DNA sequence: CCTCAGAGTAACCATATGGTTACTCTGGAC
DNA sequence: GTCCAGAGTAACCATATGGTTACTCTGAGG
């Protein structure tokens, strides 16, 4: 029965992509330390030798996977047509984009965790990686500026902090849902649960940025002391 | 030169704890897949055999590490004297506790990530683990209830969602700081940066819960639709 | 139609790894 | 003082693992 698999037709790019896709899945599922090169080769229906041929080492393959994952979300972000929307609506859409992207690409969340477990060592020298930061921040800043100009957002909000918070409230819920479901005895992934969480997050962000009275930049005293 | 190390004195509990501490560090640093049993034994200055003697397997050791880590934060939480404080102040102290705990115990964050990478499989049957959920939630709920009674918090806030958000905004900033520092070209861990983040988070939470007008339960329209 | 860069393969290797075997030693109970 | 449960040790094992060697085959360019 075991008919010898026909030699794969020669196409460097196809093979490279297959390896990258297989590696993305494997690293996301098991982390860098738990991922197996043999398993990646098998998933990619490629020979293990090809991995070393195209990527050099397991760690460099990990770098390539991270670069691609960040590149992907960056492209999707940049394609968002937020400038056409009113600032409140633009912020909501940005939050929704983040949320739906995380839901559609759980492997991205896992890869970010893995990258940070290793102190981002695998991307610290990556030009491609570094390029995926600034665009998003510019977007948030522009929304904030427009909101302030329109008089609906308070001034002085740090776009980086806001950006981190937007990511955090979606990200944490999704990546830590397994322990969360046990501790809180609640289904985190039902349609209702997801809608509830999104609604909660939207309220969180809108309340955070909204301006409440004339000449008031921040209604809450900032007591930032850390001891 | 190599004087044989004197046989360690017999103390089961001391050895068990040393192994647990070493395993906590190793799992936190490298994840479950990247951690090495030999390395844990060496760090604990124990014989590898002892690990299997006390814990049975690498995975069961991982379970023990998670149980202990969650047990530790739970104890610390329960020791918080929040009932004596006004609700606004109690919420602030809860946020501060979470933040300072995360800062003092970075290994906890990493272990939570690892547990969830493996879909919480290692703790899903752990009674000890399950016990660490409810207390915290009860605490948040009680603070919210007191705040509503006092007329300073809006009604209808889900304590579980609030709890998740409190954790998220600190946790995400800290665990993903390595990629964050590259992407945002900013120091995340300087005294100033930490104080800024805490201040931002405090504003986020206080604005989220505060009541703004009489008879108003939620000033922001909840559009929770997910499409 | 020939050529050959380089795509693809299988078998192999040194070492690392989780786990075990077979043993010795110690300190508290009597 | 004697005993022995069980704490502690070293050497070992089968297998898995990242990486390499030595090779064949193919298809685009001339």
């Amino acid at each position: 029965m075991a008919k010898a698999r026909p030699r794969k037709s020669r196409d460097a790019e196809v093979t490279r992509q297959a390896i990258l896709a297989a590696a993305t899945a494997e690293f996301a599922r098991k982390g860098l330390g738990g991922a197996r090169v043999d398993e990646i080769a098998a998933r990619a229906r490629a020979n293990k030798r090809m991995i070393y041929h195209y990527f050099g080492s397991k760690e460099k393959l990990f770098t390539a996977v991270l670069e691609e994952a960040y590149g992907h979300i960056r492209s999707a972000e940049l394609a968002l047509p937020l400038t056409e929307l009113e600032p409140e609506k633009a912020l909501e859409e940005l939050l929704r984009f983040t949320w739906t992207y995380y839901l559609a690409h759980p492997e991205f969340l896992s890869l970010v965790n893995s990258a940070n477990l290793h102190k981002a060592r695998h991307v610290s020298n990556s030009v491609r990686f570094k390029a995926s930061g600034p665009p998003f921040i510019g977007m948030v800043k522009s929304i904030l500026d427009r909101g302030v100009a329109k008089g609906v957002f308070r001034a002085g909000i740090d776009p980086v902090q806001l950006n981190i918070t937007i990511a955090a409230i979606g990200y944490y819920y999704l990546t830590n849902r397994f322990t969360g479901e046990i501790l809180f005895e609640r289904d985190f992934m039902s349609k209702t649960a997801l809608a509830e969480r999104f609604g909660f997050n939207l309220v969180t962000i809108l309340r955070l940025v909204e301006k409440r009275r004339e000449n008031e930049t921040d209604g809450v005293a900032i007591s930032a002391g850390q001891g």
Side-chain angles (χ1 to χ4, degrees), chain A:
Chain A
M1 282 300 157
K3 202 160 141 193
R5 186 183 299 158
R7 180 170 271 248
K8 190 190 275 183
S9 67
R10 299 160 56 86
D11 190 326
E13 198 46 36
V14 165
T15 302
R16 229 193 83 102
Q17 284 300 324
I19 291 170
L20 214 45
T24 299
E26 176 77 357
F27 285 133
R29 224 188 278 272
K30 302 180 190 165
L32 175 60
R36 297 291 164 246
V37 175
D38 283 310
E39 180 64 24
I40 293 170
R43 273 176 188 269
R45 295 176 156 277
N47 190 283
K48 186 165 55 152
R49 178 68 184 80
M50 290 292 96
I51 291 175
Y52 293 92
H53 185 34
Y54 290 118
F55 300 96
S57 72
K58 187 189 183 185
E59 305 233 332
K60 283 183 193 162
L61 174 57
F62 186 56
T63 296
V65 163
L66 294 178
E67 286 176 340
E68 197 193 52
Y70 273 88
H72 190 266
I73 190 172
R74 171 186 168 237
S75 309
E77 278 163 15
L78 290 178
L80 281 176
L82 300 184
T83 49
E84 303 160 12
L85 303 172
E86 289 297 295
E88 305 96 314
K89 192 66 188 165
L91 195 56
E92 176 177 338
E93 288 309 311
L94 185 59
L95 188 73
R96 191 186 309 279
F97 165 79
T98 304
W99 180 247
T100 53
Y101 189 89
Y102 288 173
L103 279 170
H105 301 277
E107 78 286 352
F108 176 72
L109 306 185
S110 186
L111 291 172
V112 172
N113 274 349
S114 284
N116 281 285
L117 175 63
H118 300 284
K119 302 185 189 297
R121 169 166 51 90
H122 300 87
V123 288
S124 56
N125 292 316
S126 165
V127 175
R128 234 186 111 193
F129 179 81
K130 283 175 187 165
S132 42
F136 206 119
I137 268 310
M139 247 166 153
V140 174
K141 183 164 170 25
S142 127
I143 294 173
L144 281 174
D145 288 346
R146 287 197 294 123
V148 171
K150 192 186 168 190
V152 292
F153 292 167
R154 67 197 165 95
I157 294 174
D158 179 348
V160 171
Q161 299 289 3
L162 177 60
N163 195 52
I164 291 170
T165 297
I166 289 173
I169 58 184
Y171 185 104
Y172 180 91
Y173 179 91
L174 294 173
T175 61
N176 294 145
R177 69 180 185 271
F178 302 101
T179 48
E181 287 185 335
I182 297 173
L183 294 175
F184 302 135
E185 297 176 305
R186 175 187 288 214
D187 183 352
F188 273 48
M189 294 300 280
S190 71
K191 217 174 169 179
T192 325
L194 291 174
E196 254 173 46
R197 182 64 191 172
F198 180 75
F200 193 90
N201 287 346
L202 182 57
V203 172
T204 302
I205 295 301
L206 292 182
R207 281 186 160 240
L208 173 60
V209 300
E210 74 181 349
K211 186 174 182 177
R212 285 171 300 190
R213 241 171 271 126
E214 282 299 314
N215 297 326
E216 181 196 45
T217 53
D218 189 347
V220 187
I222 297 182
S223 74
Q226 259 295 323

